[in-house]
Amino acid sequence: MSRTDDNWLLRVRNLTKIYGEPNENTLNMTGPLFNSNICPETDAIVACADISFDLYPGEVLGIVGESGSGKSTVVRLLYFDMEKTAGSAFLKPYNSGLANILEESNQKKRFIRNHLMGMVYQNPRDGLNFRFSSGGNIAEKLIMAGNMNVGQIRGRASELLEKTEVPVQRMDDRPSSFSGGMQQRVQISKAIANNPPLLFLDEVTTGLDVSVQAKVLDLIRELQQDLGIAMIVVSHDLSVIRMLTDRTIVLKDGRIVESGLTDQILQDPQHEYSQLLVSSLL
Ligand code: ADP
Ligand code: MG
């Protein structure tokens, strides 16, 4: 599925995260063939290994797989929430895509995170500070990217809340007084506050009621079309992947077992495991 053109936004190569102490056999004794991500010799856990893909500007990539397959690990590594074991990631708008962002200083990682990326977590408490108001949460993100006065911040915060369909008069209320769906909308507002070219969404509708899920997914789709932002959408739920994504990576036991156009994978899954996922959708 690799494209030859050079206009990628994010390029990921051999991204690997191992917990515990691996030995020289760990990578060869784990993965889909072994139905396990645990090394039988050392008990090291291969959360993900050898993950490579390119993401293009404005494209939506899905990462699907059952619980524990390594989906969150991939996006959390890319968002610098955790340290990689091995691999590289390049982001075109940063240093012309020449630097492995996973090996930059913490200061530079903060810059990249504040200006070039957004993250929406499954649990709103991971993405929002519940001691701040909803507007305060957005303000925090705006301030971290610098150069705004109080008036501008309030203006931008209300614009963002409006865009994500949160009643603007609730700007000074804390997220704890909001419904789950509304908390996710505030998280999305915060994540896109600085107009990043890249947004990660990790199981963002998983905890919500079905009717609320549908509305939040609609919002994400509208924002994507409106802003042209590239997204990596992580979900165990193929119906979410079907609704939002152009291309999909299927993960099992920390490895990519299949990748391709989402429509193609849904119509004609090649790998046994993808076939299982798709059959459960019908
Ligand atoms: P997913 O998001 O697909 O459910 P994760 O990326 O959260 O999967 O986890 C991948 C694997 O890594 C799982 O087997 C999980 O148990 C393991 N894992 C995640 N975090 C840790 C940790 N801090 N220590 C040890 N193993 C972990
Ligand atoms: Mg997860």
Side-chain angles (χ1 to χ4, degrees):
M1 263 315 293
S2 65
R3 296 191 207 175
T4 51
D5 39 336
D6 203 39
N7 70 338
W8 49 269
L9 171 69
L10 174 71
R11 170 161 277 183
V12 176
R13 289 294 179 269
N14 308 104
L15 188 60
T16 300
K17 175 72 180 179
I18 303 176
Y19 292 100
E21 285 171 29
N23 66 13
E24 64 282 1
N25 295 322
T26 297
L27 286 176
N28 297 326
M29 298 183 82
T30 51
L33 284 176
F34 300 85
N35 257 312
S36 170
N37 64 357
I38 303 172
C39 176
E41 292 184 355
T42 69
D43 288 338
I45 298 172
V46 181
C48 70
D50 239 348
I51 305 297
S52 299
F53 61 87
D54 289 338
L55 177 72
Y56 288 80
E59 186 182 38
V60 186
L61 177 74
I63 302 182
V64 71
E66 65 196 358
S67 175
S69 58
K71 307 179 298 295
S72 295
T73 301
V74 171
V75 288
R76 285 181 181 228
L77 287 169
L78 295 172
Y79 195 63
F80 314 125
D81 278 342
M82 51 172 75
E83 288 276 333
K84 69 171 168 62
T85 302
S88 46
F90 307 91
L91 195 59
K92 235 344 141 39
Y94 180 74
N95 204 358
S96 307
L98 295 172
N100 179 0
I101 58 172
L102 304 178
E103 287 178 354
E104 289 291 16
S105 66
N106 286 337
Q107 190 191 359
K108 287 184 170 147
K109 283 179 177 170
R110 267 196 301 278
F111 173 88
I112 294 168
R113 210 206 246 258
N114 289 332
H115 291 86
L116 301 175
M117 295 173 173
M119 169 71 100
V120 185
Y121 297 93
Q122 174 175 355
N123 184 346
R125 285 177 188 273
D126 290 338
L128 297 175
N129 187 332
F130 271 47
R131 286 172 297 132
F132 295 172
S133 65
S134 58
N137 270 282
I138 297 169
E140 186 196 14
K141 184 87 179 178
L142 293 170
I143 290 164
M144 282 194 293
N147 69 33
M148 271 211 190
N149 66 44
V150 176
Q152 282 175 322
I153 287 173
R154 272 192 89 78
R156 175 73 177 143
S158 50
E159 181 184 294
L160 284 158
L161 291 173
E162 206 167 314
K163 225 186 198 49
T164 53
E165 293 154 20
V166 176
V168 173
Q169 68 269 24
R170 302 210 53 188
M171 182 148 100
D172 298 317
D173 297 346
R174 292 181 184 200
S176 50
S177 69
F178 289 18
S179 67
M182 197 90 89
Q183 289 172 353
Q184 291 308 56
R185 291 170 188 275
V186 176
Q187 249 206 111
I188 293 168
S189 283
K190 181 177 178 180
I192 63 172
N194 297 320
N195 284 319
L198 175 58
L199 184 64
F200 302 113
L201 301 129
D202 189 356
E203 306 271 10
V204 297
T205 56
T206 298
L208 305 174
D209 292 343
V210 176
S211 61
V212 179
Q213 275 190 28
K215 290 192 185 123
V216 173
L217 291 172
D218 274 340
L219 170 71
I220 293 167
R221 194 155 65 171
E222 278 165 28
L223 284 176
Q224 202 283 324
Q225 283 164 3
D226 200 26
L227 305 174
I229 188 170
M231 295 181 173
I232 298 186
V233 176
V234 164
S235 183
H236 70 285
D237 183 348
L238 257 185
S239 63
V240 169
I241 298 291
R242 173 168 61 187
M243 178 168 171
L244 294 179
T245 70
D246 306 310
R247 274 193 306 134
T248 298
I249 286 172
V250 183
L251 283 191
K252 176 162 169 37
D253 299 316
R255 317 295 169 103
I256 296 179
V257 293
E258 182 163 357
S259 68
L261 294 174
T262 303
D263 289 344
Q264 261 169 26
I265 290 180
L266 288 167
Q267 276 166 26
D268 187 20
Q270 299 299 304
H271 191 278
E272 193 183 358
Y273 177 69
S274 322
Q275 289 165 359
L276 202 69
L277 284 179
V278 171
S279 68
S280 68
L281 187 66
L282 304 172

